[in-house]
């Protein structure tokens, strides 16, 4: 029996399911329909119930419950994608560094890591107010239940768009621009929203508005608007032209809302799948203000710690420019304190900086300017690299503005090279010589520019290239705490044959309040002598890798040394206890036996896990064997035996690399992890 004022929400089973199954019930207030927050909470509860039952099989991308879609059309839909501004805007829980260390998941992870290494917990910088910080937003456009366009972000686990206007994180100029854009779309029913929830949406050729990108210029309060349109450039798009005319009439030379309006023609292309942007060079078109010959001149101007920069619609730009300025200040201070190490041996020589993933050069140019005005060096040379070649033009424009106040302009040299992170690390060289200061601002994966290469784990090769170079100081800005921890261990590990780095300073920044994201700035300084390993430090990966497949189980005449009943047999020792939380048995077998099926299908061999924790009951014993966990292989011939052995070697390499990551990131104090044992080989 329910209390007065409460009702039940019935979640009916699908038609294909058994009709006798009892539907799920969710209790919610009767006035939930009048309160979108309560309605959304009920929807989330329904989703939890459905995900725990047979409804888990619903494919990703299908339309969500009609009630959730209705909640998505309200200004209070940002919680559906994980924003906590509605619950925390009036009482933000992180007011001091101790609050972050105790409650913030990312800061807590980094703090526990630093404590295990005998260092102080990380310091955290937070802006005076967490509200209105986002000056750049990339938002999806989708249909509402009534068909009208909705602008926002995808609700978690779906491709349904939850409305975002009214979210407390948006800069006031962004929120005002969204109101104008929504009013224009409402008045123009001919502009069709793109249906991202359609499973084959990347094949849709009908003209529609897919995404919008808004960038606020803080000095003027104007917003740059990019309309990502589903269609070929040059194709007929009267609805798009009508929308642009509605937002900024052609006869008007200026706008009190818009800085500029551009169109990105996202032509339907199955190879792009669900990527936002097209890779065609002619995809960009500037519509307002009009320019000669269709040139793109719309750039947003920002002043960062006293230096002027321009950013384009195609270039990367931080969304929280206020906190980003503080990061730049801390980088300059760190460089000033660390470059004194160069003066003793080199005097007033040339300081060479290499920037990776530099974008338009905001970090590299800021640090080069700080080094130049310090007059500690006779000259400064900066080579900035980024995989996006479009950044080269804006980099040169920024360099010419920034160094215009330096009379001895010839003392500063700057260049841009369109190189990926991996390509730039091949030589780790700046201009006219090896780099001494390395500036890194990689994506969330860190230095893992390539997943697997030459059998080495992702990021290990890149870290070794840095260690083998002449770099003395690394200024590392990270958006992924786990990848940062992994890269830091590789750079500071005493092994490797070269002097390691020391993590001289570490600070976090609340770059995206109301989320679990944290930005990290680490400054690494080269050590002259190797550091003693910590007791809780995991051994070097070089000592934990599976040895190459060398067919050691074969005799000299290329026949297996062990043959029973016409089959060739071998045991591969796993080397990780099945009782460990890592779950090695499931990782070896694969989901529903996928790994074993794949190897058996390719080789024709039969495999079975035996030993402690395998779950296999020995016929003679009536229980598991007390032998170590092992994968037993039985092959019909030599070719099958070799194929299975090679594939098992690759599988175990992946499993053990994942185990080392698990130990490192879970914070376990494992002084001596299980040793890797290559297969015993068949015995006589």
């Amino acid at each position: 029996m329910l209390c007065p004022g409460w009702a039940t929400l019935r979640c009916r089973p699908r038609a294909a399911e058994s009709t006798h199954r009892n539907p799920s019930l969710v209790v919610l207030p009767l006035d939930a329909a009048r309160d979108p927050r309560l309605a959304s909470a009920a929807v989330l509860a329904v989703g939890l119930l459905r995900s725990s039952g047979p409804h888990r099989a619903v494919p990703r991308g299908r339309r969500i419950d009609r009630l959730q879609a209705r909640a998505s059309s309200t200004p209070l839909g940002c919680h559906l994608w994980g924003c906590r501004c509605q619950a925390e805007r009036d009482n933000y829980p992180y007011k001091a560094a101790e609050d972050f260390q105790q409650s913030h998941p990312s800061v807590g992870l980094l703090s526990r890591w630093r404590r295990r290494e005998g260092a102080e917990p990380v310091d955290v910088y937070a802006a005076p107010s967490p509200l209105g910080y986002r000056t750049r937003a990339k938002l999806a456009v989708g249909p509402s239940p009534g068909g009208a366009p909705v602008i926002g972000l995808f609700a978690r686990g779906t491709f349904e768009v939850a409305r975002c206007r009214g979210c407390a994180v948006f800069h006031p100029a962004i929120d005002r621009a969204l109101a104008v854009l929504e009013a224009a779309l409402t008045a123009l029913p001919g502009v069709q929203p793109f249906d991202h929830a359609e499973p084959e949406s990347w094949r849709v050729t009908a003209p529609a508005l897919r995404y919008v990108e808004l960038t606020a210029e803080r000095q003027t309060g104007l917003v740059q608007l990019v309309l990502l349109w589903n269609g070929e450039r040059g194709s007929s798009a009267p609805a798009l032209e009508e929308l642009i005319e509605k937002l900024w009439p052609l006869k008007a030379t200026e706008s009190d809302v818009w800085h500029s309006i551009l169109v990105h023609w996202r032509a339907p292309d199955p190879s792009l799948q669900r990527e936002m942007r097209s890779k065609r060079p002619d995809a960009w078109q500037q519509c307002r203000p009009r320019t000669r010959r269709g040139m793109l001149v719309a750039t947003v101007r920002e002043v960062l710690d006293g230096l002027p920069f321009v950013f384009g619609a195609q270039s990367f730009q931080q969304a929280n420019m206020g906190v980003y300025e503080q990061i730049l200040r801390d980088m300059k201070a760190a460089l000033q304190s660390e470059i004194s190490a160069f003066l003793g041996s080199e005097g007033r020589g040339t300081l060479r900086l290499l920037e990776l993933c530099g974008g338009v050069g905001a970090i590299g140019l800021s640090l080069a300017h700080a080094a130049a005005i310090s007059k500690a060096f006779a000259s400064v040379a900066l080579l900035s690299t980024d995989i996006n070649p479009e950044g080269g033009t804006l980099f040169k424009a920024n360099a010419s503005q920034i160094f215009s106040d330096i009379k001895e302009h010839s003392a500063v040299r700057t260049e841009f090279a369109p190189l990926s992170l991996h390509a730039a690390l091949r030589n780790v060289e700046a201009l006219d010589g090896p780099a001494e200061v390395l500036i890194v601002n990689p994506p969330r994966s860190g230095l893992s520019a390539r997943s697997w290469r030459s059998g080495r784990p992702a990021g290990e090769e890149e870290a070794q290239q840095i260690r083998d170079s002449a770099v003395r100081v690394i200024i590392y800005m990270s958006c992924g705490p786990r990848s940062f921890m992994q890269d830091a261990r590789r750079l500071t590990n005493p092994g490797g044959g070269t002097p390691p780095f020391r993590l001289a300073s570490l600070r976090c920044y609340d770059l995206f309040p109301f989320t679990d994201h944290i930005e990290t700035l680490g400054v690494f300084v080269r050590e002259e002598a190797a550091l003693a390993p910590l007791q809780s430090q995991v051994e070097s990966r070089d000592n934990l890798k599976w040895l190459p497949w060398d067919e050691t189980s074969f005799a000299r005449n290329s026949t297996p040394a062990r043959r029973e009943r016409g089959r060739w047999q071998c045991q591969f020792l796993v080397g990780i206890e099945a009782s460990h939380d890592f779950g090695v048995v499931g990782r070896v077998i694969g989901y529903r036996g996928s790994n074993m099926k794949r190897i058996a299908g390719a080789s024709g061999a039969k495999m079975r896990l035996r030993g402690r924790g395998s779950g296999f009951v020995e016929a003679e014993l009536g229980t598991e064997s007390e032998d170590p966990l092992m994968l037993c292989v039985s092959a019909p011939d030599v070719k099958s035996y070799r194929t299975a052995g090679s594939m098992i070697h690759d599988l175990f390499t992946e499993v053990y690399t994942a185990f080392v990551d698990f130990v490192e990131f879970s914070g376990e104090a494992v002084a001596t992890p299980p040793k890797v044992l290559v297969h015993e080989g068949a015995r006589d």
Side-chain angles (χ1 to χ4, degrees):
M1 183 172 180
L2 299 175
C3 297
W6 293 78
T8 59
L9 177 66
R10 190 170 297 270
C11 182
R12 298 186 181 278
R14 293 181 177 270
E17 298 171 2
S18 174
T19 56
H20 68 271
R21 183 181 295 109
N22 291 328
S24 302
L25 298 179
V26 178
V27 181
L28 72 160
L30 286 173
D31 60 351
R34 296 190 296 271
D35 190 336
R37 289 185 242 186
L38 293 175
S40 301
V43 170
L44 296 178
V46 172
L48 291 175
L49 285 174
R50 297 180 69 176
S51 64
S52 63
H55 295 278
R56 284 183 79 177
V58 177
R60 179 182 176 89
R62 293 288 179 86
R63 288 194 176 277
I64 56 175
D65 182 278
R66 186 176 293 178
L67 178 59
Q68 182 170 341
R70 190 177 300 117
S72 302
S73 64
T74 72
L76 302 174
C78 62
H79 66 282
L80 294 176
W81 68 71
C83 178
R84 299 190 296 268
C85 71
Q86 298 175 37
E88 299 178 353
R89 63 178 301 165
D90 296 329
N91 187 21
Y92 194 55
Y94 306 117
K95 299 180 176 61
E98 293 76 11
D99 300 330
F100 285 93
Q101 295 164 8
Q102 296 174 4
S103 305
H104 197 283
S106 298
V107 178
L109 177 68
L110 290 166
S111 296
R112 291 191 297 272
W113 170 58
R114 294 298 288 161
R115 287 193 187 98
R116 290 194 302 272
E117 298 195 354
E120 293 293 327
V122 295
D123 182 33
V124 183
Y125 172 83
S129 172
L131 305 178
Y133 65 84
R134 181 174 280 278
T135 58
R136 171 170 279 198
K138 299 180 180 181
L139 306 173
V141 181
S144 67
V150 176
I151 304 174
L153 294 178
F154 296 127
R156 285 182 293 188
T158 75
F159 284 107
E160 294 291 337
V161 180
R163 191 182 184 193
C164 67
R165 188 164 69 87
C167 183
V169 306
F170 286 133
H171 190 278
I174 295 284
D175 211 49
R176 181 183 63 160
L178 278 173
V180 174
L181 182 57
E182 285 184 346
L185 292 175
T186 302
L188 300 174
V191 181
Q192 296 298 314
F194 189 80
D195 191 354
H196 302 270
E198 173 62 35
E200 303 250 335
S201 60
W202 57 82
R203 302 183 187 275
V204 175
T205 59
L209 185 60
R210 300 176 67 107
Y211 294 91
V212 295
E213 298 181 10
L214 303 100
T215 304
E217 191 175 61
R218 292 186 296 173
Q219 289 180 313
T220 63
L222 300 178
V223 174
Q224 181 184 78
L225 173 64
V226 179
L227 303 169
L228 280 80
W229 188 261
N230 190 63
E232 294 275 358
R233 181 170 182 173
S235 60
S236 177
L240 176 62
E241 296 175 2
E242 190 177 5
L243 174 61
I244 297 173
E245 181 67 19
K246 179 76 173 177
L247 296 173
W248 188 339
L250 183 60
K251 62 182 181 181
T253 57
E254 295 182 353
S255 171
D256 59 351
V257 176
W258 306 111
H259 170 281
S260 52
I261 299 179
L262 300 93
V263 173
H264 180 83
W265 295 88
R266 170 55 164 84
D269 185 351
S271 66
L272 294 176
Q273 296 292 307
R274 293 186 180 272
E275 291 185 38
M276 284 184 59
R277 294 179 177 179
S278 170
K279 294 181 172 59
R280 298 184 181 181
D282 62 342
W284 293 88
Q285 178 185 0
Q286 181 173 326
C287 300
R288 300 289 189 276
R290 286 295 184 94
T291 59
R292 295 180 180 179
R293 300 178 184 177
M295 295 178 61
L296 294 178
V297 296
T299 54
V300 174
R301 299 182 179 274
E302 287 287 347
V303 177
L304 300 175
D305 195 26
L307 299 179
F309 289 92
V310 292
F311 296 87
Q314 305 177 55
S315 57
F316 172 78
Q317 179 181 342
Q318 289 288 353
N320 191 336
M321 301 302 282
V323 175
Y324 186 50
E325 282 191 271
Q326 183 61 42
I327 297 176
L328 292 176
R329 296 188 192 102
D330 291 348
M331 287 181 173
K332 295 176 185 179
L335 182 63
Q336 291 284 3
S337 64
E338 300 300 340
I339 59 177
S340 59
F342 300 115
L343 299 179
S345 58
E346 299 182 4
R348 293 173 52 83
T350 299
L351 178 66
R352 299 182 180 87
L353 302 96
L354 173 62
E355 183 179 23
L356 309 179
C357 309
V360 299
I363 298 177
L365 291 171
S366 297
L367 295 181
H369 183 270
I373 63 177
S374 70
K375 299 181 180 180
F377 296 90
S379 61
V380 177
L382 166 67
L383 175 61
S384 182
T385 65
D386 194 274
I387 196 172
N388 182 8
E390 302 296 335
T393 302
L394 296 179
F395 175 86
K396 293 177 182 178
N398 288 329
S400 62
Q401 292 185 85
I402 289 172
F403 294 107
S404 61
D405 63 336
I406 299 179
K407 296 180 179 180
E408 300 178 1
H409 189 73
S410 59
V412 180
R413 291 187 55 204
T414 60
E415 286 188 15
F416 177 88
L419 299 174
S420 65
L421 185 149
H422 182 78
L425 285 178
R426 287 176 182 170
N427 299 318
V428 199
E429 290 192 357
L431 300 178
D432 303 328
E436 297 160 322
V437 177
L438 183 65
I439 306 164
V440 190
N441 184 18
R444 185 170 294 274
S445 58
L447 295 177
S448 303
R450 312 181 89 179
S451 56
W452 279 82
R453 188 172 185 270
S454 304
R456 304 184 69 177
E460 186 177 271
E461 182 178 4
E462 289 78 5
Q464 190 61 45
Q465 287 172 321
I466 296 174
R467 292 190 53 158
D468 293 341
S469 69
V471 171
R472 299 187 182 184
V473 176
I474 303 174
I475 298 178
Y476 190 137
M477 181 176 172
S478 170
C479 58
R482 294 185 181 277
S483 61
F484 175 83
M485 291 162 54
Q486 179 171 273
D487 291 338
R489 286 192 177 93
R490 290 167 174 167
L491 293 170
T492 59
N493 192 339
T498 56
F501 288 86
R502 170 177 56 88
L503 183 54
S505 63
L506 179 65
R507 195 180 194 189
C508 291
Y509 302 84
D510 192 17
L511 198 66
F512 294 100
F514 307 114
T515 72
D516 291 339
H517 176 88
I518 203 73
E519 201 77 10
T520 305
L521 174 62
V523 179
F524 297 84
V525 180
R526 178 80 73 170
E527 287 281 9
E528 296 299 328
L531 297 175
L534 298 173
Q535 292 182 354
S536 62
Q537 186 175 3
V538 178
E539 295 184 18
S540 170
R541 285 185 183 273
D542 292 335
N543 300 327
L544 294 174
K545 289 192 301 184
W546 288 91
L547 299 178
W549 170 252
D550 56 5
E551 301 182 0
T552 54
S553 65
F554 288 88
R556 294 181 180 179
N557 59 357
S558 298
T559 60
R562 180 178 177 184
R563 179 177 178 181
E564 294 183 2
R565 298 179 182 179
R567 301 184 67 87
W568 287 264
Q569 299 181 358
C570 179
Q571 291 80 36
F572 289 78
L573 299 182
V574 176
I576 302 174
E577 293 293 336
S579 59
H580 197 279
D581 293 339
F582 175 67
V584 66
V585 172
R587 293 175 185 261
V588 170
I589 295 177
Y591 178 68
R592 294 185 177 179
S594 58
N595 292 337
M596 300 296 98
K597 293 176 183 178
R598 174 173 51 85
I599 298 175
S603 64
K606 295 182 179 180
M607 289 155 291
R608 175 172 291 168
L609 269 179
R610 302 175 70 175
R612 292 190 300 270
S614 64
F616 178 74
V617 178
E618 303 288 344
E620 298 85 355
L621 303 175
T623 184
E624 287 182 352
S625 170
E626 289 299 321
D627 293 331
L629 186 65
M630 65 181 70
L631 180 61
C632 301
V633 180
S634 176
D637 51 44
V638 173
K639 181 179 179 181
S640 171
Y641 183 84
R642 291 183 176 181
T643 302
S646 179
M647 296 180 72
I648 292 172
H649 160 72
D650 294 340
L651 171 63
F652 276 27
T653 303
E654 296 178 9
V655 169
Y656 211 87
T657 302
F659 174 71
V660 175
D661 290 338
F662 179 86
V663 172
E664 291 177 347
F665 297 150
S666 63
E668 294 188 38
V670 180
T672 307
K675 294 290 185 181
V676 174
L677 299 176
V678 182
H679 61 284
E680 281 187 326
R683 293 174 292 190
D684 292 329

